[in-house]
Amino acid sequence: MEEVEISTEKKSNPVKSFIAGGVGGMCNVLVGHPLDTIKVRLQTMPTPLPGQPPRYKGVIDCAARTFRYEGFRGFYRGISAPLVGVTPIYAVDFAVYAAGKRLFQTDDHIRLTYPQIFAAGALAGVCSALVTVPTDRIKVLLQTQTVSNGPLLYNGTIDTAAKLYRQGGIRSLFKGTCACILRDSPTGFYFVTYEFLQELARKKSANGKISTTSTILSGGTAGIVFWTLAVPFDVLKSRLQSAPEGTYKHGIRSVFRNLMATEGPKALFRGILPILLRAFPSTAAVFFGVELTNDLLKA
């Protein structure tokens, strides 16, 4: 198995990775939230009645209608939840990834195999998913309530969190936990793709250093790989988290059965275009923020 050299000082310090991951996560949200809003609205729009057109014809129509009825602010609806929560989410992700790699490192110059990187990344994905659930739940509700047929039930992040807690306690805030873990399960491929492409760039570089362009390209490609694998689980998660209490009695299994019976397998990839359009710039922003912060902390 091919190996890749990872520097403990730069890559495997959990404390530095915690800080760098938080910065990278905030970069991710600021760059990717508009397309995330479109993605969620496409995934959660109701099935049209016979003879009626769907609520949105596609990405462009959804974007145009969002801007027409809600203005530019509509694209950033619900952003406070992920922006506030994204620091611990990505901080945990990169800190656990660094800690996982450190488990395989006996000294500062140990060479990690890609299966080891995958294992560390998969562990990071599971841990970060547990932190992600409440903010994802709040974000999805705020993104979808303005286009539902009912009244506006929530007024911002804190109001949503408080009402969910009153309705069902902690369980309501953590609705969709299993779906979130499944959605984040391909994180191992995410980190393997990034490390592999960065190692290729390092070998081709005359001075053995990685450029900003390489970081952006490697990070963006890692995002494409991750989301291509994660889309079906993300659709199920969004449906589950946006549904009224009691709609799906058996959680993600009920969502899956209902989706297959009413809309078929194609529905599992609803919203994939905005997801992939968002994946490259937002994930590139994550790794750019992480690498920049690592360099500043190392200086």
Side-chain angles (χ1 to χ4, degrees):
M1 175 62 65
E2 186 178 357
E3 298 176 327
V4 55
E5 184 176 355
I6 304 295
S7 167
T8 299
E9 173 60 24
K10 184 178 180 181
K11 297 287 187 178
S12 299
N13 185 314
V15 176
K16 290 183 178 180
S17 294
F18 184 89
I19 297 170
V23 174
M26 286 187 281
C27 294
N28 172 286
V29 174
L30 292 173
V31 171
H33 195 77
L35 280 167
D36 184 72
T37 297
I38 294 172
K39 178 262 295 184
V40 169
R41 291 184 174 185
L42 287 173
Q43 288 178 340
T44 59
M45 65 179 178
T47 305
L49 296 174
Q52 291 187 349
R55 175 175 289 165
Y56 304 114
K57 297 177 182 178
V59 174
I60 296 176
D61 181 55
C62 183
R65 293 181 65 177
T66 298
F67 184 76
R68 184 184 308 131
Y69 296 116
E70 301 173 61
F72 187 72
R73 290 181 61 185
F75 293 104
Y76 282 92
R77 192 172 297 278
I79 192 174
S80 56
L83 196 56
V84 171
V86 83
T87 299
I89 290 167
Y90 277 86
V92 167
D93 192 30
F94 279 86
V96 173
Y97 176 54
K101 290 191 296 181
R102 177 164 282 188
L103 291 175
F104 299 114
Q105 292 175 313
T106 56
D107 59 60
D108 288 1
H109 304 289
I110 196 71
R111 297 175 67 86
L112 298 182
T113 64
Y114 288 114
Q116 289 172 333
I117 293 172
F118 178 86
L123 177 63
V126 171
C127 292
S128 64
L130 296 175
V131 184
T132 303
V133 181
T135 56
D136 238 22
R137 169 96 155 113
I138 293 168
K139 173 183 71 69
V140 167
L141 287 173
L142 288 174
Q143 286 175 325
T144 57
Q145 71 167 348
T146 57
V147 293
S148 65
N149 295 324
L152 297 182
L153 301 176
Y154 308 107
N155 183 27
T157 299
I158 296 176
D159 179 65
T160 307
K163 286 179 178 176
L164 288 175
Y165 184 78
R166 285 198 296 269
Q167 291 167 10
I170 293 295
R171 285 189 64 182
S172 182
L173 283 167
F174 279 84
K175 182 179 180 180
T177 297
C178 290
C180 233
I181 291 174
L182 287 172
R183 194 271 309 272
D184 289 351
S185 58
T187 303
F189 294 103
Y190 173 79
F191 282 111
V192 166
T193 301
Y194 178 75
E195 299 287 7
F196 174 74
L197 294 176
Q198 287 289 67
E199 181 63 12
L200 286 181
R202 186 181 291 110
K203 289 178 179 178
K204 292 181 179 180
S205 174
N207 57 10
K209 294 183 179 180
I210 296 173
S211 66
T212 300
T213 301
S214 172
T215 296
I216 291 173
L217 292 175
S218 299
T221 304
I224 294 290
V225 171
F226 171 83
W227 280 107
T228 299
L229 298 171
V231 168
F233 302 117
D234 191 58
V235 171
L236 297 175
K237 179 197 72 65
S238 294
R239 289 289 183 98
L240 178 62
Q241 289 185 322
S242 64
E245 291 296 331
T247 303
Y248 301 111
K249 295 183 179 180
H250 301 290
I252 192 172
R253 289 178 297 167
S254 295
V255 181
F256 179 76
R257 285 197 292 265
N258 178 266
L259 204 65
M260 291 301 97
T262 58
E263 301 178 54
K266 285 182 65 175
L268 288 172
F269 292 91
R270 178 178 288 176
I272 190 171
L273 182 56
I275 287 177
L276 296 183
L277 288 174
R278 169 182 174 267
F280 191 95
S282 62
T283 312
V286 170
F287 283 102
F288 174 78
V290 167
E291 296 291 1
L292 178 63
T293 305
N294 276 329
D295 288 342
L296 293 174
L297 293 174
K298 187 177 180 181

